[in-house]
Amino acid sequence: NAGVTQTPKFRVLKTGQSMTLLCAQDMNHEYMYWYRQDPGMGLRLIHYSVGEGTTAKGEVPDGYNVSRLKKQNFLLGLESAAPSQTSVYFCASSLEGGITEAFFGQGTRLTVV
Amino acid sequence: DAKTTQPPSMDCAEGRAANLPCNHSTISGNEYVYWYRQIHSQGPQYIIHGLKNNETNEMASLIITEDRKSSTLILPHATLRDTAVYYCIVRGGANNLFFGTGTRLTVIP
């Protein structure tokens, strides 16, 4: 099993450009999450999904959009990238939301110049 | 979800037990204590979780005090590969893991 796979691993964007980060999981998990991690800080939740076709906002949703058209995929979009969105992005999935362990991808390092 | 307090850093000699404390004085009855770790810049890795009883798995042991206001993660024989940031998280039914800034554990040869 691959677990949670994030694509791409690295990306450099110019301010104002758009891009989509892809997260794929092969564990048939219902819940999926997008986090960002800035230097010296813990992870902060951007958006999450409790099932196919559903999404919800987390702590820091502004400037991002998400979609969960298929159960195994969770996409994070930046419509107009800003330097403040320079960060490492982590996707995670879990079988249930409340008490089950979450599995994380290896991260996407995004730089906006 | 209850907030947690952890020391920012700790050192441990290789081969010795690493004991990482966590305070969660506002924890409520249905909230679990979770521990994750993040090695270098990799994605966080689940270690263990518990509600009120002590728990042990192949990676670590979790000791939760009787009043559940604090807990300790124990790595019985720390190795250099255990150098990481360790996050203590208290979670109930919310759809989030609030990571905080964790404890940076350095295992010293």
Side-chain angles (χ1 to χ4, degrees), chain A residues 35-38 42-44 46 64 84-89:
Chain A
Y35 289 86
R36 62 176 288 173
Q37 185 174 32
D38 299 314
L43 281 73
R44 292 182 293 168
I46 305 171
Y64 305 95
S84 60
Q85 294 178 304
T86 293
S87 189
V88 180
Y89 291 85

Side-chain angles (χ1 to χ4, degrees), chain A residues 31 35 37 42 97-100 102, chain B residues 34 36 38 91-92 95-97 100:
Chain A
Y31 286 68
Y35 289 86
Q37 185 174 32
I99 62 171
T100 55
Chain B
Y34 280 77
Y36 283 74
Q38 187 174 26
R91 185 182 190 190
N95 297 313
N96 188 14
L97 293 169

Side-chain angles (χ1 to χ4, degrees), chain B residues 5-16:
Chain B
T5 304
Q6 299 177 252
S9 63
M10 293 181 64
D11 293 338
C12 177
E14 187 178 17
R16 304 295 294 270

